Amino acid sequence: MQTHQSAGQTPLSAQYRIGIVGLGYVGLPLAVAFGGKYQTLGFDINEKRVQELKEGFDRTKEVTSEALKASSGLSITYDTTELANVNFFIVTVPTPIDSAKRPDLTPLVKASTMLGQILKPGDIVVYESTVYPGATEEVCKPLLESHSGLTHGKDFFLGYSPERINPGDKKHRVTDIVKVTSGCCEQAADIIDGIYKDIIHAGTHKASSIKVAEAAKVIENTQRDLNIALINELAMIFDRLDIDTHEVLAAAATKWNFLPFKPGLVGGHCIGVDPYYLTHKAQAIGYHPEIILAGRRINDNMAIYVAEQVVKLMMKRQIHVVQSKILVMGLSFKEDCPDIRNTKVVDMIAELRTYNADVSVYDPCIDKNEAKHEYGYDVITYWDDLQAIVAKQTFDGIILAVGHAQFLQLKPEDFKKLVQSKGVIFDVKGVLPLDIIDGRL
């Protein structure tokens, strides 16, 4: 291996061909960025996904068709044999949790097994998938060695660079966010850092070890999770004191060092998942984390709390909750994003249905076929279709669950037309005018 490029040396872009394994919210933007500088191969096992991307369509809405076309060095495939020409692999597969909230490393194991079967001497493998500290060297390295017959640190080299993609955020893109990098040895770390520096305009931060880089990722989201949990608990306390949480936060925010967190549902594949990777590892080494798990319990139960608040408001209005019609606006885990993985909105819907309420879901940002497949929901995705339903019967309650820009563009009278005269409007996000809502977190 050669180290940093210096005068007279061959540039890294000529030495390495990049292979991105997994073309989801993390992998695709990364592949497009690398494709502007390096010969890059984007790989995904989903043939439909690959075909859509070849046609210039990204269903995650993270990359435009123009950006795909402009990435001149990028090619896309689902054929593993094409990866044989790659010598710098970046793994960006998902790392979810199972039903018992334990790390599910199945995608990571499958990707490592696949790469082990094509690995060559001199290859570098960098993992970006969120894991607990130690997973890259304890789980992935043995798989790569056993399936390749090669020796790590001698024949091939490992690195870790945590993803920092923020789905739906058009301001903070992959190249605009400082990238943490690391390698198994100083030489590998220098090469990995140098390759990322070629595309990351914001610069890089080279960690001292793979474990440090892994730990940095899980605490980023654990910190946010705990801060939101604190505000959620405060919201429940202030509700009992008949104090508006958002007014309290606005007052407290006048102090320069007050952190601007708001109450809400915490779902998705990062903040609602990553802390469990850290607590899993902590418990494996004999330490029982208390604060982290307490925060997770609060945030995991917020969807049920919202449902209960709405039911109470309806009962105060003497609206019969059984067989009532409730409209939930938004299904994705965050605003202006089509991702419905691990969305806590489904927990809220499930709780409302325990009261035998008739719940409809409206979300113009998601794929209705995906919602049907994942949750069995027949989601309304067009405003005209929603209007056709309201023309026959208005709703007894509306819950703004996700703050999509399309929802915020609606006028107060648009919301009022959706509900009956004494119907309830509950604002989970705290973004609607106070004079049209009946409650908020």
Side-chain angles (χ1 to χ4, degrees):
M1 289 191 302
Q2 295 184 22
T3 55
H4 275 313
Q5 176 191 349
S6 59
Q9 277 191 331
T10 305
L12 292 171
S13 57
Q15 297 177 53
Y16 292 97
R17 188 175 189 226
I18 311 294
I20 310 292
V21 180
L23 297 177
Y25 285 87
V26 175
L28 182 62
L30 193 66
V32 169
F34 270 116
K37 182 85 175 183
Y38 287 75
Q39 286 300 307
T40 304
L41 180 65
F43 172 85
D44 200 285
I45 60 174
N46 187 329
E47 294 185 25
K48 181 180 179 182
R49 170 75 167 156
V50 168
Q51 187 57 42
E52 287 177 346
L53 292 175
K54 285 185 174 182
E55 294 171 358
F57 172 67
D58 171 28
R59 63 175 55 252
T60 69
K61 302 180 182 179
E62 290 298 304
V63 176
T64 65
S65 58
E66 291 77 15
L68 279 167
K69 292 176 183 177
S71 186
S72 58
L74 175 63
S75 56
I76 299 171
T77 186
Y78 55 81
D79 184 355
T80 56
T81 62
E82 292 189 40
L83 288 169
N85 295 321
V86 169
N87 57 358
F88 191 97
F89 298 92
I90 301 177
V91 180
T92 61
V93 296
T95 43
I97 53 176
D98 62 19
S99 58
K101 302 188 185 306
R102 297 170 302 193
D104 179 3
L105 297 178
T106 302
L108 201 64
V109 167
K110 289 183 176 179
S112 299
T113 299
M114 178 195 73
L115 289 181
Q117 295 168 350
I118 60 174
L119 212 58
K120 309 175 299 301
D123 286 356
I124 297 175
V125 183
V126 179
Y127 289 87
E128 289 209 7
S129 306
T130 301
V131 292
Y132 51 78
T136 300
E137 292 157 302
E138 295 166 9
V139 177
C140 304
K141 184 184 77 172
L143 288 169
L144 293 172
E145 286 186 323
S146 64
H147 288 281
S148 67
L150 302 176
T151 301
H152 172 249
K154 176 185 175 184
D155 301 317
F156 72 94
F157 305 86
L158 281 177
Y160 185 82
S161 179
E163 60 90 0
R164 280 180 166 170
I165 295 294
N166 188 24
D169 188 341
K170 304 307 178 186
K171 181 180 179 181
H172 301 98
R173 311 303 293 165
V174 62
T175 57
D176 304 319
I177 304 170
V178 174
K179 200 83 167 70
V180 175
T181 68
S182 67
C184 59
C185 61
E186 185 176 353
Q187 192 176 12
D190 284 343
I191 293 173
I192 292 166
D193 191 66
I195 287 176
Y196 274 108
K197 273 183 178 175
D198 275 344
I199 66 160
I200 304 297
H201 308 316
T204 62
H205 174 93
K206 187 168 63 172
S208 62
S209 69
I210 288 175
K211 282 186 177 181
V212 167
E214 291 169 325
K217 174 57 185 177
V218 287
I219 71 164
E220 285 176 16
N221 286 330
T222 299
Q223 183 185 65
R224 283 187 56 79
D225 191 44
L226 284 172
N227 276 295
I228 297 170
L230 170 62
I231 302 302
N232 277 336
E233 186 164 57
L234 291 174
M236 291 186 279
I237 293 172
F238 293 148
D239 177 65
R240 286 164 173 77
L241 295 173
D242 197 25
I243 301 174
D244 187 294
T245 303
H246 290 269
E247 291 185 10
V248 175
L249 294 175
T254 57
K255 190 169 188 286
W256 75 91
N257 60 352
F258 184 79
L259 300 177
F261 287 91
K262 293 182 178 180
L265 306 181
V266 183
H269 48 90
C270 289
I271 300 178
V273 171
D274 295 354
Y276 288 119
Y277 274 75
L278 183 56
T279 58
H280 167 82
K281 186 63 175 180
Q283 290 167 334
I285 59 174
Y287 180 81
H288 180 72
E290 297 184 26
I291 295 176
I292 298 173
L293 289 175
R296 280 280 74 235
R297 284 192 295 271
I298 290 172
N299 286 341
D300 273 347
N301 287 318
M302 282 306 291
I304 294 174
Y305 174 78
V306 169
E308 291 173 346
Q309 292 297 100
V310 173
V311 168
K312 288 178 182 178
L313 286 170
M314 292 174 67
M315 292 174 67
K316 287 180 180 179
R317 294 280 179 86
Q318 296 185 331
I319 299 173
H320 293 292
V321 180
V322 175
Q323 295 183 341
S324 62
K325 289 176 63 66
I326 298 176
L327 175 66
V328 173
M329 298 182 68
L331 180 63
S332 61
F333 85 91
K334 66 177 293 186
E335 62 275 3
D336 304 321
C337 173
D339 195 348
I340 60 174
R341 288 177 295 171
N342 195 38
T343 171
K344 304 309 289 184
V345 179
V346 300
D347 294 348
M348 183 177 66
I349 294 170
E351 182 66 14
L352 290 169
R353 286 178 173 170
T354 64
Y355 292 91
N356 290 322
D358 180 8
V359 183
S360 298
V361 183
Y362 169 54
D363 193 325
C365 292
I366 70 164
D367 183 327
K368 65 184 304 177
N369 293 324
E370 184 181 359
K372 182 69 173 179
H373 178 266
E374 292 295 324
Y375 302 114
Y377 296 167
D378 291 312
V379 177
I380 305 162
T381 54
Y382 292 101
W383 178 253
D384 289 345
D385 292 340
L386 179 60
Q387 293 302 297
I389 293 172
V390 174
K392 298 177 182 178
Q393 184 180 352
T394 52
F395 292 94
D396 298 299
I398 294 178
I399 303 174
L400 180 73
V402 186
H404 291 319
Q406 293 184 54
F407 294 162
L408 303 186
Q409 291 168 3
L410 295 174
K411 299 175 181 178
E413 52 265 32
D414 293 325
F415 284 94
K416 291 181 179 180
K417 288 178 182 177
L418 297 174
V419 292
Q420 55 143 310
S421 58
K422 62 177 182 178
V424 168
I425 299 178
F426 191 91
D427 182 8
V428 173
K429 302 297 292 184
V431 292
L432 297 180
L434 290 176
D435 59 350
I436 71 165
I437 64 172
D438 302 285
R440 63 177 179 173
L441 278 181

